[in-house]
Amino acid sequence: MDVTTPANAPWLIVGLGNPGPEYERNRHNVGFMVADLLAERVGGRFKRAGKAQAQVVEGRIGPPGPGNRRVILAKPMSFMNLSGGPVNALKDFYKVPVANIVAVHDELDIDYGVLRLKLGGGDNGHNGLKSMTKAFGAEYHRVRFGIGRPPGRMQVADFVLKDFSSSERKELDYFVDRAADAVEALVIEGLERAQSTYNS
């Protein structure tokens, strides 16, 4: 873990998901959805990142002046269970401390649309987090986007790789917007203040 994080160190915000149009609106791809909205907000378009198997947008968030933060938004293009490799390559290339990495991901154990922000911890069976933790340790931030549990006897793998239901889609834009706000708050104001606003 990085004990000291320089104030001017960049942040690496990673939306987790699977590449390809067939996965685009899946529950498992909500991290990509949040990353896309953040890219829109900073006025950038995702493009291939050199040798890293990822797409990135570089930009700044926050008010002008000392509160402004340099961010690299990233979408690994390796498929979810291999996310650690591309994220690790970006971490090294941009010289990002592990504590300045934020993973935005779907979370089964939280009700739909509810957010939980935290630093470190286990992966709770999430293959994207498992791969990242294996690559550089667990002490990175997470913005956990609740998708709820599968109904009835549906398998978890089937549930996360299905699109949001029609009733869920009615609120999806609002929840994605709120998750993007939470990421910005985390980077600009710090974890505790962001948690007090969004961990409700």
Side-chain angles (χ1 to χ4, degrees):
M1 180 184 172
D2 298 85
V3 179
T4 55
T5 300
N8 61 349
W11 285 76
L12 177 58
I13 298 162
V14 182
L16 291 177
N18 286 309
E22 66 272 40
Y23 300 106
E24 204 172 322
R25 305 305 290 171
N26 287 180
R27 293 183 177 92
H28 221 20
N29 270 42
V30 75
F32 274 18
M33 296 173 202
V34 175
D36 285 337
L37 179 56
L38 286 165
E40 240 178 78
R41 290 184 181 185
V42 303
R45 295 175 75 103
F46 277 101
K47 50 182 183 284
R48 204 79 187 186
K51 292 179 182 173
Q53 206 179 352
Q55 292 184 350
V56 298
V57 169
E58 294 181 55
R60 303 192 79 86
I61 61 173
N68 199 262
R69 298 282 181 266
R70 180 178 169 224
V71 295
I72 297 98
L73 307 172
K75 296 194 294 187
M77 292 286 121
S78 56
F79 286 96
M80 182 69 85
N81 58 354
L82 299 171
S83 300
V87 178
N88 200 38
L90 293 172
K91 170 184 80 70
D92 292 346
F93 180 78
Y94 289 104
K95 298 180 170 52
V96 179
V98 173
N100 276 26
I101 297 173
V102 182
V104 185
H105 64 93
D106 58 306
E107 178 64 66
L108 287 158
D109 285 341
I110 304 175
D111 289 341
Y112 174 59
V114 174
L115 297 175
R116 289 286 181 272
L117 283 65
K118 70 172 191 169
L119 173 64
D123 55 58
N124 207 17
H126 193 288
N127 288 330
L129 299 181
K130 200 174 288 183
S131 179
M132 286 176 61
T133 297
K134 190 177 176 188
F136 47 79
E139 292 305 309
Y140 53 91
H141 289 85
R142 298 102 191 273
V143 173
R144 304 156 74 204
F145 186 111
I147 60 169
R149 301 294 305 184
R153 297 185 175 196
M154 186 187 286
Q155 294 294 312
V156 164
D158 295 333
F159 179 69
V160 299
L161 293 175
K162 276 197 166 38
D163 289 1
F164 286 99
S165 69
S166 55
S167 62
E168 288 171 334
R169 283 199 294 272
K170 288 174 186 166
E171 294 182 291
L172 182 59
D173 286 349
Y174 168 76
F175 289 140
V176 168
D177 195 68
R178 194 164 182 270
D181 290 347
V183 171
E184 291 182 344
L186 169 61
V187 171
I188 297 162
E189 300 171 15
L191 179 62
E192 282 184 24
R193 286 187 67 174
Q195 282 176 325
S196 68
T197 306
Y198 293 97
N199 280 22
S200 51

